[in-house]
Amino acid sequence: MNQWKNFSKGFLKENPVFVLLLGMCPTLGVTSSAINGLGMGLATTFVLLMSNIVVSLVKNAIPEKVRIPSFIVIIAAFVTVVQLLMQAFVPALYKSLGLFIPLIVVNCIVLGRAEAFASKNNVGSSAVDGLGIGLGFTFALVLLGSIREILGSGKLFNITIYPENYVTLVFVLAPGAFIVLGYLIALINRMKKN
Amino acid sequence: MLNLNDLEDSKMAKRESSFINMVATLVLVTGIAAAVLGFVYDFTKGPIEVAKLKAQTEAIKTVLPEFDELGETMVLSPGEGQDSLEFFPAYKNGELIGTAIKTYTKSGFSGFISIMAGIDKDGNFSGYSVLEHAETPGLGSKMGVWFSNPEKPNQYVIGKNPETTNFTVSKDGGDIDAITASTISSRAFLDALNRAYSTYKNNKTTGDSGQ
């Protein structure tokens, strides 16, 4: 398989957020600012990459009927590793993402890739797939977070762009997440048609 | 897309789902996961403690900037059945200048909020620092700056004393202006400060003062 295609599909063709519509809970929950989106995206990318690698390595040793519980344990272990590492070395980011990190375990993207790709492909392709999908997820979260942060609090990555008096508060709130996501999906569908 | 040979290979080689195989696999997978986590936990334990302590010391510095030494931490309960608060007496040149109190509220818009509040030796609030919260960004999250803006006396809590100022939002008949569009977060914030103050006062009147 063409590895570049395998990697780049995560950004547009099979973008987990805009096309597959997976992992909506963290997507809508954390993207109130660009930095949160970036942190969440990178944490998920790490988990995806590692779980894809391990799952593709052990796929033949795991009996068919217990594969889902085994995959979940592998994923949960990596999520806990990320959580501990973030808590130790980037406490500020850990503080702002807090609750959403453990939720990576139940993020359908991670289990979805393990089940649909890594359990059927070799290590190399699975690693590339995990990285591609993960970075595609990160790209989507940063885009969503940036738009919401600019419109909703007049800042981007915490740098003020215009005065707070002109912000449209709804964009940092839950409805704003749905509105921005809806328009982005429409835009991407339009682009994909051309 | 998928290489058919690869797929068949993996199907062929897959271990049979017999009872023994399944039990052995799950035991092995969970065992390895536990070992890896144990190792990482051990490795990050130190740095996590350091990071927590650093955040705490920094918070105490914000609320009582002049201190050079901390006394023994006290753990005091605000009332029957409530979680305790941590008290950090702060000294400068051996003299008590105030107490930093790690207080909390559970009534935030998104639940739990933890705040470090400083009370100077006259009983006035000397500052605060929000340690932990999950309030809405752009709204309730503004509590970090809103109540410490000296240009807006009606929302400024520093230097005020709950004895002389009514620490509830003006909507509820109090003396403090709530954050625009975040009355719930503001109420929660003041609830945490009131909890700190009443516990501080109780502790004083029960004769433990000076500690």
Side-chain angles (χ1 to χ4, degrees):
Chain A
M1 187 186 291
N2 183 333
Q3 292 296 10
W4 169 245
K5 255 198 185 144
N6 187 9
F7 173 75
S8 62
K9 69 173 188 284
F11 285 83
L12 267 184
K13 212 175 123 250
E14 285 185 37
N15 187 292
V17 172
F18 298 137
V19 181
L20 304 179
L21 297 185
L22 290 176
M24 287 292 113
C25 158
T27 302
L28 297 169
V30 302
T31 54
S32 53
S33 72
I35 188 74
N36 281 2
L38 186 68
M40 183 68 190
L42 292 180
T44 312
T45 304
F46 173 78
V47 173
L48 254 170
L49 177 65
M50 299 310 288
S51 69
N52 259 13
I53 290 175
V54 172
V55 165
S56 71
L57 280 174
V58 300
K59 61 177 188 278
N60 290 333
I62 291 180
E64 193 72 12
K65 281 185 185 159
V66 290
R67 69 182 196 288
I68 299 285
S70 307
F71 294 170
I72 289 281
V73 170
I74 293 169
I75 294 165
F78 281 118
V79 170
T80 313
V81 168
V82 171
Q83 193 180 358
L84 288 171
L85 289 177
M86 280 178 89
Q87 212 175 344
F89 301 109
V90 274
L93 188 61
Y94 177 76
K95 219 170 94 185
S96 70
L97 291 175
L99 179 69
F100 288 95
I101 296 296
L103 279 178
I104 298 176
V105 178
V106 287
N107 190 325
C108 12
I109 302 168
V110 185
L111 185 63
R113 294 329 285 180
E115 168 71 5
F117 197 96
S119 67
K120 293 175 184 138
N121 287 285
N122 62 28
V123 183
S125 304
S126 300
V128 172
D129 175 78
L131 200 63
I133 295 280
L135 291 178
F137 185 60
T138 310
F139 159 73
L141 292 194
V142 173
L143 188 63
L144 207 55
S146 307
I147 295 174
R148 289 180 63 193
E149 198 180 351
I150 292 174
L151 294 176
S153 50
K155 295 174 188 168
L156 182 59
F157 286 104
N158 260 331
I159 298 159
T160 306
I161 293 182
Y162 61 88
E164 215 173 276
N165 297 345
Y166 302 100
V167 301
T168 318
L169 202 52
V170 71
F171 284 104
V172 289
L173 303 179
F178 283 98
I179 295 169
V180 175
L181 182 64
Y183 275 104
L184 280 175
I185 290 173
L187 193 73
I188 295 220
N189 276 336
R190 179 92 188 90
M191 274 164 58
K192 275 175 63 189
K193 268 197 177 144
N194 291 344
Chain B
M1 251 215 28
L2 260 169
N3 187 335
L4 207 65
N5 279 336
D6 269 355
L7 194 69
E8 281 207 351
D9 269 350
S10 65
K11 274 258 162 69
M12 298 271 281
K14 224 158 225 165
R15 192 169 290 178
E16 194 197 336
S17 293
S18 69
F19 182 74
I20 294 290
N21 274 353
M22 291 198 289
V23 172
T25 308
L26 286 182
V27 167
L28 207 65
V29 167
T30 44
I32 294 173
V36 169
L37 287 184
F39 173 76
V40 176
Y41 174 78
D42 219 41
F43 171 71
T44 53
K45 206 170 153 196
I48 289 176
E49 282 299 308
V50 172
K52 272 195 182 149
L53 203 68
K54 204 177 137 213
Q56 194 172 301
T57 317
E58 247 159 47
I60 298 175
K61 264 221 169 83
T62 338
V63 302
L64 292 164
E66 288 174 349
F67 91 96
D68 54 20
E69 202 191 336
L70 283 180
E72 203 175 317
T73 307
M74 289 184 288
V75 179
L76 297 169
S77 166
E80 195 73 22
Q82 294 191 52
D83 293 339
S84 329
L85 310 183
E86 279 174 63
F87 277 57
F88 306 92
Y91 295 88
K92 189 191 177 189
N93 303 327
E95 208 176 306
L96 187 73
I97 54 162
T99 312
I101 302 168
K102 192 175 169 192
T103 178
Y104 68 92
T105 178
K106 288 175 178 168
S107 50
F109 193 68
S110 309
F112 187 82
I113 301 172
S114 169
I115 295 169
M116 184 72 80
I119 295 182
D120 65 22
K121 58 181 187 300
D122 305 321
N124 299 322
F125 277 105
S126 60
Y128 70 90
S129 168
V130 181
L131 299 174
E132 200 181 309
H133 78 88
E135 302 302 283
T136 318
L139 287 172
S141 70
K142 276 196 249 168
M143 72 175 87
V145 288
W146 182 273
F147 298 105
S148 58
N149 182 353
E151 287 165 29
K152 300 268 174 70
N154 285 342
Q155 60 197 48
Y156 193 57
V157 296
I158 295 163
K160 287 181 182 169
N161 187 324
E163 299 286 321
T164 51
T165 310
N166 187 350
F167 264 48
T168 41
V169 298
S170 38
K171 210 184 225 170
D172 302 339
D175 295 330
I176 310 287
D177 281 353
I179 305 168
T180 317
S182 309
T183 312
I184 295 174
S185 302
S186 309
R187 278 185 191 136
F189 175 82
L190 294 173
D191 175 52
L193 292 197
N194 282 325
R195 176 166 292 125
Y197 188 78
S198 61
T199 315
Y200 169 81
K201 224 184 130 212
N202 272 340
N203 178 47
K204 272 234 142 106
T205 49
T206 48
D208 283 322
S209 55
Q211 268 291 310

